[in-house]
Amino acid sequence: MSSIIYGPVSSWRLGRSLGIDMLSTEGSTCSFNCIYCQLGKTVRPLVERREFVTLVDLAEELEKVKDVPADYATFSGTGEPTLASNLGKAIEMVKSTLKLPVAVLTNSSFMPRKAVCQELALADVVIAKLDAPDEQRFHAVNRPLCRYTFDEVLQGIRRFKAEYNGKLALQMMFVEANRDCAPEMARIARELSPDEVQINTPLRPCAVKPLSPEVLAAIRDEFGGLGRVVTVYEAEKPSATPLSMVETLKRRPEL
Ligand code: SF4
């Protein structure tokens, strides 16, 4: 495998998933500097999109994995995938070359931009990060480097949901700094009505401690009335409860 393509890894939602990293940078390149980032402090803080990996290089790497059995190709990697200005074209190339459905993990920071949402809409599954119910917690948890406010990001997700024909999952990371926000975040989730809510806590080494299974279960209870809600601990259970798509993507730096 190359630095652009990794895996496949197993997931019950995505089956065997090939990871695509259109940033492929040393350390993280991101528009956030989340307190729980397993890559540590954002090494390359970026608020504007640019090309990191050329489509020519991607095409070369895709040729090498054409025969690798997989159910999904997932854009994730060493930072925020929408920072790659060629993301839309890369999604189209992956679809046409691998003939696989495509998922994208995003931190939602560029959801206020229509052009970015149009590119994301080319994916079959979009997993969008939302870790806060308001501006203050947004800054406390995600420490955004981009210029968009929490309300603008939320409005971007709202608009994307209204126009998107694929599957939208909300990924919510809970740590000590936002654990008391669960009722308000559940209210926001109910209003957005995604296809799935993924309740997470950082289980891989990082600067903050994960919440316990009991605390996460109590947080999950706040999310009644939503169609499908999964927690990372449920996904961690062996065989009888298969891995969720969140879990698949945790094998690459958490978005
Ligand atoms: S957790 Fe994800 S979104 Fe947050 S700083 Fe790290 S790479 Fe960026």
Side-chain angles (χ1 to χ4, degrees), residues 136-178:
Q136 188 218 329
R137 300 300 179 114
F138 181 43
H139 280 263
V141 176
N142 300 119
R143 299 186 295 195
L145 308 160
C146 55
R147 64 183 168 87
Y148 297 111
T149 65
F150 173 79
D151 285 341
E152 287 170 325
V153 171
L154 185 58
Q155 179 56 22
I157 299 174
R158 195 178 282 127
R159 192 186 56 219
F160 181 73
K161 170 70 173 70
E163 296 171 357
Y164 183 44
N165 293 319
K167 251 185 197 178
L168 176 67
L170 278 186
Q171 184 184 184
M172 295 181 159
M173 183 71 87
F174 283 94
V175 292
E176 196 58 42
N178 65 346

